[in-house]
Amino acid sequence: MPDTTIAVVTALTPSPTTLAEYGLHFLTALGRKPGVRVVALVEDLPVTYPDIDGVEIRRAWRFRSIGNPLSILRAARAIRADVVIVNAHFTSFGSSKPAAALGLMTPALLRLSGIPVVTLLHNIMETVDLGAAGFRSNRAGEALVRAVGWCLTRMILTSNLVTTTMPRYVEILRRRYRAGNVALTPHGSFATAAAPPASTPTRTILTFGKFGTYKKVEGLIRAFRLLDRPELRLVIAGTDSPNTPGYLRRVADELGGPDVDFLGYVPEEEVEPLFRNAVLTVFPYTATTGSSGVLHQAGAFGCPPVLPRIGDLEDLIEEEGFTGSFFEPGNDADLARAMGELLDDPDRREDVVRHNRVAATGLPLEDVVDWYLLHIGSILSRDPRMLLADSPVAAMA
C-alpha cells in the first residue's frame, strides 16, 4: 500500500490510560512495515513519549474531554489520513460516563466524514461487570449504562471493520447486533522469540497493572501474609486506574509494610526484567474486561501466573493455551493456597513456564499487523462512493 497514511488513535505509554502498553507495541510493529506512513494520535499530556521507528507522534486528544471526537477528526484531516485505526476500550477516553461515551462516538464521526475506520475493540458492554469497573451505582443506573452501551456499540459498528481479540465477543456482536463487519484478531505477542529466562528468579511475588476497579490488591496482600514466608517479598508494580485516583496510596497507608513494595509506574525497558526476576505473577482480578496483555507478558518472560477463575480470563486461558495455578476470586485463603502450590513445586512452575511461553510467543504482533494491512488494503480499494453506502449508518438512517 504505497503512500498510504494510517492514523492510529491510542493511548501510549507512559500514559496511565488503559491500553497504553498495547498501543506502544502495536505502533512499534506497524512502524516497521514498508510502504505506509504511520501517525499516532495520542493524548495531549505533559510527558515525553517514546521515539518509535517509522511512527510520527501527534498529540490529538485528552482523557476526560468531551470534545475528543472533534479533536481527533481535525487531527486526522490535518495529516490527510487515508484510514484511521482506533485502539479502543469502553473507558479509553474518560473515567466519567459523558467523556467515555462521547469518545466512543469517534469511529462514527470519522466514518460520516468520509474517512475509513478500523476499530480494535478490546471489550464489549455485554461482558463488563459494571460494578467492578466503577460504572454502576444501582440497578437503575446499571440499566441506563447498558442501554447507552448498546447505542455506543451500534455507533462503533459503523466502522468499516471492527475487530476483537476474543471469539466470544465476535459471536455476541454478530448475534445481538447482526453485525457483518466484525472479525477476530488475536491479541498477538509482544515478544518475538521464546528465549529462556536470563536469570534465576528471586523470591519475589509480582502483580502488575492499573489498580483500583476490578484489579484490587488488598486481598493479595492479606493472602501473601497468610503464606507466612519471611523470605518472600510482594511487589505491586503499576499505577492507579484512571477511575480510582489515589487508590494505591490509600492501600499503602492501610496495609503497607516492609514486606510489600509499591513500585509505581514501570518504564517499558524495565518490564521484562521485572517479570524475569519474579517467581510468580498474581492476577488479583474480580472481573475482566477483555484479553490480558499482562498475561502475555508473563508468559513471554517466563513468570508463571496465579489466576482467578472468572469468565473472560478463563476463556482467554482456554482459547490461547495458557495455564497456571487457579483460585476463587475474593477468597484470600484460596489465593494463598494457589500461590503456595507453585512456590513449593519447582517442577510444576517450570512446566507452566514452558507451556505459557509457547502460547505467548506463538503469534507475534508483527503478523497481526500484517492482517490489519491486508484488510486496510481491501477497504481502500473499494469505490470511495461506497464507503458510506455499505455502512450500518446507512442502514440506520
Side-chain angles (χ1 to χ4, degrees):
M1 292 185 301
D3 304 319
T4 299
T5 296
I6 301 175
V8 181
V9 179
T10 185
L12 178 63
T13 185
S15 165
T17 303
T18 300
L19 302 180
E21 289 80 12
Y22 192 88
L24 172 66
H25 291 283
F26 186 90
L27 288 168
T28 299
L30 186 59
R32 295 188 182 121
K33 302 301 179 181
V36 294
R37 175 193 178 208
V38 181
V39 183
L41 303 182
V42 302
E43 292 171 89
D44 186 3
L45 290 173
V47 299
T48 300
Y49 285 113
D51 293 326
I52 306 173
D53 289 344
V55 179
E56 303 170 34
I57 304 294
R58 301 266 183 128
R59 298 167 194 261
W61 55 279
R62 295 182 178 181
F63 192 74
R64 299 189 182 94
S65 171
I66 62 173
N68 281 329
L70 288 174
S71 299
I72 292 168
L73 174 60
R74 285 194 294 268
R77 283 176 168 170
I79 65 170
R80 299 180 181 274
D82 293 300
V83 64
V84 177
I85 299 175
V86 182
N87 182 36
H89 185 284
F90 263 82
T91 58
S92 288
F93 296 102
S95 54
S96 68
K97 296 181 183 70
L102 288 169
L104 291 172
M105 295 181 184
T106 298
L109 181 61
L110 291 167
R111 187 77 191 278
L112 285 168
S113 300
I115 302 175
V117 182
V118 175
T119 299
L120 170 52
L121 190 59
H122 287 261
N123 67 337
I124 59 175
M125 184 61 67
E126 283 77 5
T127 64
V128 174
D129 183 329
L130 294 177
F135 277 95
R136 184 184 67 195
S137 54
N138 51 51
R139 288 186 178 181
E142 178 178 358
L144 177 60
V145 170
R146 291 205 181 276
V148 172
W150 186 90
C151 294
L152 290 172
T153 302
R154 294 290 297 174
M155 299 289 281
I156 292 167
L157 287 168
T158 64
S159 305
N160 295 80
L161 178 67
V162 175
T163 72
T164 81
T165 59
M166 304 284 285
R168 181 179 169 200
Y169 296 175
V170 174
E171 293 171 6
I172 291 172
L173 292 172
R174 288 176 177 173
R175 183 181 68 252
R176 185 172 185 200
Y177 297 89
R178 298 182 180 179
N181 59 334
V182 181
L184 175 67
T185 307
H187 181 282
S189 63
F190 300 158
T192 57
S199 60
T200 301
T202 65
R203 301 298 285 179
T204 295
I205 292 177
L206 172 69
T207 188
F208 185 87
K210 294 180 174 67
F211 300 100
T213 52
Y214 61 92
K215 303 177 184 179
K216 294 181 179 290
V217 297
E218 294 96 331
L220 171 57
I221 295 173
R222 292 191 296 265
F224 172 73
R225 288 173 176 158
L226 284 174
L227 288 171
D228 192 24
R229 303 192 189 198
E231 75 279 11
L232 294 176
R233 297 188 64 78
L234 175 63
V235 172
I236 298 171
T239 61
D240 298 325
S241 163
N243 284 351
T244 55
Y247 167 76
L248 288 174
R249 171 51 54 194
R250 291 193 296 272
V251 174
D253 290 342
E254 295 171 6
L255 296 174
D259 55 343
V260 182
D261 292 333
F262 290 81
L263 291 190
Y265 172 75
V266 179
E268 187 63 28
E269 64 272 13
E270 297 177 15
V271 170
E272 181 174 345
L274 186 68
F275 279 97
R276 291 201 185 277
N277 290 326
V279 66
L280 300 176
T281 303
V282 181
F283 292 72
Y285 298 178
T286 57
T288 62
T289 57
S291 186
S292 172
V294 177
L295 181 56
H296 282 77
Q297 289 174 312
F301 301 139
C303 190
V306 179
L307 300 155
R309 295 189 180 280
I310 48 180
D312 286 351
L313 194 57
E314 280 199 285
D315 290 344
L316 174 69
I317 292 164
E318 179 180 341
E319 290 157 3
E320 296 193 3
F322 290 96
T323 189
S325 184
F326 295 87
F327 69 96
E328 294 301 321
N331 187 328
D332 299 346
D334 198 48
L335 174 52
R337 174 204 54 77
M339 290 190 289
E341 284 183 355
L342 280 182
L343 288 169
D344 295 333
D345 192 342
D347 291 337
R348 169 64 176 155
R349 286 204 310 273
E350 188 54 38
D351 286 344
V352 171
V353 166
R354 285 195 296 266
H355 186 99
N356 287 359
R357 191 178 290 123
V358 172
T361 60
L363 183 63
L365 199 50
E366 295 269 351
D367 294 345
V368 174
V369 165
D370 285 335
W371 183 92
Y372 277 96
L373 293 178
L374 285 172
H375 279 270
I376 287 171
S378 177
I379 291 168
L380 296 181
S381 67
R382 298 177 186 177
D383 185 336
R385 292 170 297 180
M386 297 299 293
L387 287 176
L388 286 177
D390 65 353
S391 165
V393 172
M396 294 167 61

